[in-house]
Amino acid sequence: MRILLVEDDAVLGDGLSAALRLGGHTVDWLVDGSDAVDALRDDGFSAVILDLALPGLSGLELLRTWRRQQGQRIPVLVLTASGSSEGCVAALDDGADDYLVKPVDLDVLEARLRALARRSSGHADNVLRCGSLVVERDGHLVRIDGERVGLSAYEFKVLELLIERPGLVVARDRLEAHLYGWGERPSSDPLRVLVHGLRRKLGPERIETVRGVGYRLVT
Amino acid sequence: MNALRSLHGRLLVALLLVLGTLWAAVFTQARHDAATSAAAEVDGRLRTSAVQLLQLVVLAERSPGDAPATTGADASSGPAAPGDRVVRDPATRPPSFEIVWEDGRSPVRSPDFPTNLGTTSSGFEERSVGGRTWRVLTVVDRGRRVTGRIALDDLARGALAGQRDREAIRPLLWILPLFAIAALASVWFGLAPLRRLERSIDAQEPHELASLGLDPRRLPRELGRLVAAIESLLARLRDIQHRQRAFAAMAGHELRTPLAGCSAQLQLARRTGDAAVHDRALGKAERSIETMARLVGQLLVLARVEARTGTMPRRRVDLAELVANVVARRRRNATEAGLELGLRRGSPEAFVHGNPTLLECMVDNLVDNAIKFSPRGTAIDLRVDVHDERVTLRVLDGGPGVPDDERDRVFDPFHRVAGIPRQGSGLGLPTVRAVVADHGGEVRLQARTGPGTEARVVLPAASTPVTRSRSTSQG
């Protein structure tokens, strides 16, 4: 998943982003609410982790801006220090999809993010299928006809994005953003390399190149 | 004198004393008047009788055949029997009389006229005969050469006076209990607003101080002022309570964030197989714990300063030396952060009167703040000067500075300056302000020449007396 983290505490933000990256996700981390207003316009995020207490724009105001003014539908999970029901009700009513009270258990956080991403892409569970190809999101497992196929972390990310919308083109930019977030792109063109690796492991007909646009998983 | 401890009692006693004195005066006056009027009545009776007597004499002399009997009936009463005199009411008994002619005829007397009266001159006289005192009126008719004497003894007079006396004081007697009841009732009624106020205050819940709910327009003026003062105090107490609760809640929440950070880093450390990542995560977890420890420490300092229990001893403290200690202790932190830390003393000593622990905490917080917000390669300058009976401490940093409109608000607990990620507990500057205020000083952030901020603390020098400045916003 590509996750946007809006958290002002240095240690917590660092802990969350490092742990999520370790879990194979791409994380972009912002510390100020006002910086995050336009972040979702780059619509490659699977989910957002939003701390309610932020300098600049508060978490709730940010939510409202996203939902009401921009019509952003990306799932948002809210982090809050207050377990009070009023705060949580306010957050949920203003457009949050889920909330967690700090301190958070990372496993729980990841599972909830997966659930949110799953819902928003319309899938019933964490298993994505396309023909004989089966991708299990939570375990990062890929099988063809039941047999496991070993993929690197980045290869898995590319495949995950392609299999989320089978048959539909996924733009190159989107794929790269999903892989690296706003971080620096490597100077070589690893996307081509990754697709090449995938074709090798899954079969060349699986992935189709759409010239000038991106790639597509063949159904 | 327990009655005087009660307002009701005081009023009642005062009222009863006044009324009592008044009543006693009226009573005395009434009795005196009764006595006077009784005496006057006696004299009047004597005079009337004298006149009547002489008239009778004139009449008798005109009809010489009817010589008045030497014994016999009084002119104004029926035949006298020896026992009658005692039975008849002494108050209404007619006076005794005597008529003496100059020409030697035998005098005429009433049976009870005292003998041995002696000679009396005309007019009123008092004579004592046989254990009784007689009031005697002597009337001389020179033309007919006759002297008449009318007399009334003290028994009769006394009985009359007694009667008048009783008539006078009877109403006064039952007025007395009426006064007492009226006094009680008016005190009770008059102080009713006070009792209502007392009930109102009694009904206050200490945990939920509500307004007294009394309409000041319907209260007597004096109570109105009292109620206004109480309401103002209650409002301030509510405000303080509210702020304390909000502060406690905020502090609790603020602790959750470093807890969350610590927890996240520890979970990360568990997940990673990479030793470098592992160590880094543990290091950050330690930083979180330091933040939490700082926060807890500052909460305790704030609690102590707020409590003002006076258990923190005060003495002459050399602030310059204190600052030097802090600088020495913090030098390593500064160096690690790529910062230079320097102290310049305007004078060798700078004595203030205060608690060394609190003051050191204050300086430490200021230095810590400067270290956190200064970018690498800049310098933090500390300066201590004594001037005009004031000691000034300045902490200058080269950090991003504080926007004008936030300069005051940075002293609020847990305030974050926009755009700067949170570091530390959020209680550093509030603690500084609380300690400075407790020591009778002032602290301010201001811009300096060039980039950065100057934190300026001004404290009274040790020789000047200290009054705690009322910090109106910290509460």
Side-chain angles (χ1 to χ4, degrees):
Chain A
M1 284 186 285
R2 188 180 169 208
I3 297 168
L4 174 65
L5 170 64
V6 190
E7 169 59 62
D8 70 314
D9 182 72
V11 175
L12 180 58
D14 175 271
L16 289 177
S17 47
L20 288 169
R21 281 179 194 134
L22 213 55
H25 306 290
T26 309
V27 180
D28 289 305
W29 174 23
L30 291 172
V31 294
D32 194 298
S34 37
D35 289 340
V37 174
D38 292 320
L40 294 185
R41 295 200 195 278
D42 162 11
D43 74 334
F45 292 106
S46 321
V48 179
I49 304 176
L50 175 64
D51 191 322
L52 279 187
L54 291 172
L57 208 56
S58 83
L60 285 178
E61 282 164 18
L62 199 49
L63 257 181
R64 285 184 215 129
T65 310
W66 282 338
R67 296 298 190 221
R68 293 181 203 167
Q69 289 177 26
Q70 299 177 8
Q72 297 286 359
R73 315 253 295 251
I74 296 176
V76 174
L77 183 147
V78 151
L79 284 184
T80 172
S82 155
S84 79
S85 53
E86 304 94 42
C88 297
V89 167
L92 290 169
D93 280 341
D94 274 339
D97 298 279
D98 197 358
Y99 72 87
L100 277 175
V101 179
K102 294 189 265 196
V104 299
D105 181 310
L106 291 176
D107 292 328
V108 171
L109 176 65
E110 272 190 277
R112 288 193 175 195
L113 287 171
R114 275 197 295 270
L116 290 178
R118 192 167 71 216
R119 270 294 149 218
S120 80
S121 61
H123 290 93
D125 63 1
N126 283 328
V127 178
L128 302 164
R129 294 164 221 273
C130 182
S132 55
L133 184 58
V134 174
V135 172
E136 288 176 29
R137 274 209 245 241
D138 38 352
H140 286 245
L141 290 171
V142 178
R143 294 178 213 271
I144 297 185
D145 290 323
E147 281 203 26
R148 283 190 59 174
V149 179
L151 294 182
S152 78
Y154 279 120
E155 284 171 348
F156 183 86
K157 286 190 188 192
V158 172
L159 182 58
E160 188 186 8
L161 201 58
L162 291 176
I163 201 170
E164 266 184 1
R165 273 104 60 97
L168 296 175
V169 177
V170 183
R172 201 166 227 285
D173 291 345
R174 180 97 194 269
L175 281 164
E176 282 178 348
H178 189 75
L179 287 173
Y180 309 114
W182 295 321
E184 279 187 30
R185 303 285 186 269
S187 41
S188 54
D189 182 8
L191 187 56
R192 244 174 7 117
V193 174
L194 289 171
V195 172
H196 183 76
L198 278 172
R199 280 179 173 144
R200 201 166 37 86
K201 293 177 188 178
L202 304 176
E205 351 53 72
R206 297 264 185 198
I207 300 177
E208 182 188 322
T209 308
V210 180
R211 283 229 173 275
V213 188
Y215 298 94
R216 186 159 70 130
L217 191 70
V218 177
T219 50
Chain B
M1 288 282 266
N2 259 345
L4 290 185
R5 288 198 56 211
S6 138
L7 208 53
H8 287 75
R10 287 170 80 103
L11 277 176
L12 198 58
V13 165
L15 210 52
L16 285 178
L17 273 174
V18 167
L19 287 177
T21 314
L22 255 161
W23 181 88
V26 167
F27 185 80
T28 315
Q29 184 64 30
R31 294 194 84 188
H32 174 79
D33 283 352
T36 317
S37 100
E41 189 174 325
V42 163
D43 287 355
R45 261 217 234 146
L46 289 175
R47 208 178 281 117
T48 316
S49 300
V51 166
Q52 283 176 341
L53 194 65
L54 285 181
Q55 279 176 348
L56 269 172
V57 167
V58 167
L59 283 172
E61 290 196 327
R62 281 213 196 114
S63 354
D66 299 320
T70 48
T71 62
D74 297 273
S76 49
S77 59
D84 270 336
R85 237 183 302 147
V86 179
V87 166
R88 203 172 302 138
D89 175 12
T92 52
R93 196 179 60 201
S96 327
F97 64 90
E98 176 199 73
I99 307 175
V100 176
W101 285 267
E102 269 180 35
D103 55 16
R105 270 185 272 178
S106 35
V108 174
R109 294 198 182 89
S110 65
D112 49 5
F113 193 86
T115 48
N116 336 332
L117 208 50
T119 41
T120 50
S121 33
S122 63
F124 285 99
E125 269 186 44
E126 301 262 338
R127 281 292 155 93
S128 280
V129 171
R132 286 150 72 180
T133 313
W134 292 84
R135 184 125 173 111
V136 184
L137 173 63
T138 312
V139 180
V140 180
D141 184 343
R142 298 220 180 274
R144 293 177 179 74
R145 301 178 181 234
V146 75
T147 304
R149 290 204 291 192
I150 320 289
L152 211 50
D153 70 0
D154 49 7
L155 257 167
R157 284 186 295 152
L160 186 65
Q163 203 179 62
R164 289 285 166 277
D165 195 46
R166 276 191 296 280
E167 282 164 18
I169 71 175
R170 199 172 303 132
L172 286 183
L173 281 180
W174 53 258
I175 271 179
L176 194 58
L178 259 177
F179 267 11
I181 293 171
L184 199 64
S186 42
V187 164
W188 189 255
F189 175 73
L191 290 183
L194 189 62
R195 286 194 303 280
R196 268 202 299 277
L197 177 59
E198 184 190 334
R199 278 195 298 272
S200 250
I201 293 180
D202 249 353
Q204 281 290 317
E205 282 287 344
H207 299 296
E208 288 292 332
L209 294 172
S211 161
L212 287 177
L214 295 172
D215 183 0
R217 288 167 302 171
R218 294 186 51 211
L219 287 171
R221 238 194 340 245
E222 296 82 356
L223 283 190
R225 284 197 289 270
L226 178 63
V227 167
I230 292 178
E231 289 281 13
S232 153
L233 182 64
L234 283 178
R236 272 186 290 151
L237 276 175
R238 267 200 304 275
D239 188 45
I240 287 178
Q241 262 187 354
H242 178 75
R243 268 200 268 113
Q244 276 179 344
R245 285 190 199 136
F247 180 75
M250 256 160 76
H253 294 151
E254 290 295 319
L255 265 175
R256 280 188 153 154
T257 301
L259 264 176
C262 185
S263 157
Q265 293 290 346
L266 288 175
Q267 292 180 63
L268 175 61
R270 274 176 171 273
R271 290 174 169 211
T272 182
D274 185 334
V277 173
H278 179 94
D279 287 342
R280 195 171 149 280
L282 287 182
K284 295 215 173 213
E286 278 173 347
R287 260 184 59 188
S288 268
I289 292 190
E290 274 169 24
T291 303
M292 285 189 269
R294 253 193 118 60
L295 177 58
V296 168
Q298 278 161 341
L299 281 171
L300 287 172
V301 166
L302 273 177
R304 270 196 231 156
V305 172
E306 291 283 327
R308 295 183 178 184
T309 52
T311 55
M312 305 224 73
R314 300 201 166 197
R315 57 177 175 79
R316 262 168 78 90
V317 178
D318 183 0
L319 191 68
E321 191 184 309
L322 211 119
V323 173
N325 289 342
V326 173
V327 165
R329 239 201 356 255
R330 288 295 199 150
R331 198 172 287 288
R332 217 193 64 183
N333 295 109
T335 319
E336 279 174 10
L339 302 165
E340 253 182 63
L341 192 57
L343 167 63
R344 225 177 340 137
R345 298 193 217 202
S347 45
E349 297 159 336
F351 280 103
V352 295
H353 187 80
N355 179 273
T357 313
L358 289 178
L359 288 170
E360 188 157 331
C361 176
M362 170 197 85
V363 177
D364 193 72
N365 274 313
L366 285 169
V367 172
D368 185 65
N369 217 47
I371 292 178
K372 276 207 293 268
F373 290 104
S374 292
R376 293 191 86 89
T378 54
I380 301 174
D381 282 319
L382 285 96
R383 296 188 205 159
V384 181
D385 294 293
V386 185
H387 184 66
D388 254 354
E389 306 204 347
R390 285 201 297 236
V391 173
T392 307
L393 164 67
R394 279 191 278 226
V395 180
L396 298 107
D397 67 63
V402 178
D404 286 345
D405 54 343
E406 302 214 28
R407 289 232 184 92
D408 243 354
R409 289 193 283 149
V410 287
F411 288 101
D412 289 337
F414 312 122
H415 175 85
R416 263 93 107 257
V417 179
I420 299 178
R422 178 216 301 272
Q423 307 189 50
S425 63
L427 283 184
L429 287 179
T431 306
V432 167
R433 180 164 68 174
V435 172
V436 168
D438 197 47
H439 284 75
E442 274 179 10
V443 59
R444 208 168 46 230
L445 288 189
Q446 49 198 61
R448 55 178 296 201
T449 48
T453 317
E454 171 184 314
R456 183 189 294 227
V457 174
V458 179
L459 292 168
S463 45
T464 47
V466 169
T467 47
R468 283 209 192 92
S469 52
R470 280 220 20 270
S471 53
T472 46
S473 44
Q474 175 62 38

